[in-house]
Amino acid sequence: MNVTVSVNGVEYTRDVEPRLLLVHFLRDVLRLTGTHWGCDTSNCGTCVVLMDGEPVKSCTMLAATAERYEITTVEGLERDGVLDPVQQGFHEEHGLQCGFCTPGMMLTARALLDHNPDPTDEEIRVAISGQICRCTGYATIVRSIRWAANNSGTA
């Protein structure tokens, strides 16, 4: 079937199988490999992208169902060579180790800050609670998101 999906502000029309998952459409068809694929059960949150600004787990969503939405991947966060404050925060506060969960964490953080520009550390922890990081212990991730909240006008 033909599917037209808007990803990072660009419309893509591709012929795909109706059962193709959004994560595979992004990675394998569009070659946007920043979206990671972890568990296929929506437990890890590695595959999170934004759909009209809301975090969704792309491993349990069909590409065809994304047709009427704007999808944002981690590649879509930076603008004109300038990192999004969330990306800069992860750099400044060392919010990653292996980096596997990082794209999903960043997109979840972006959605949080879009809805709540000054969240508490507890609100940050609740927002990222649907994602698993096996490396950091979350302290640096929370600090990274806090940095982004505090520096949203400077990055």
Side-chain angles (χ1 to χ4, degrees), residues 5 20-27 49 58 61-63 66 71:
V5 180
L20 183 69
L21 294 172
L22 180 58
V23 67
H24 298 304
F25 180 78
L26 295 170
R27 289 183 58 78
V49 296
S58 63
M61 180 178 181
L62 297 173
I71 302 299

Side-chain angles (χ1 to χ4, degrees), residues 77-83:
L77 286 180
E78 68 88 19
R79 299 277 188 235
D80 299 321
V82 178
L83 294 179

Side-chain angles (χ1 to χ4, degrees), residues 120-136:
T120 65
D121 286 0
E122 181 61 25
E123 289 169 324
I124 292 170
R125 288 182 180 281
V126 168
I128 63 173
S129 66
Q131 296 171 272
I132 297 171
C133 176
R134 291 184 172 97
C135 300
T136 66

Side-chain angles (χ1 to χ4, degrees), residues 42 52 64 71 79 94 103 107 113 121 123 139 148:
S42 78
D52 284 352
I71 302 299
R79 299 277 188 235
H94 311 288
L107 289 162
L113 296 177
D121 286 0
E123 289 169 324

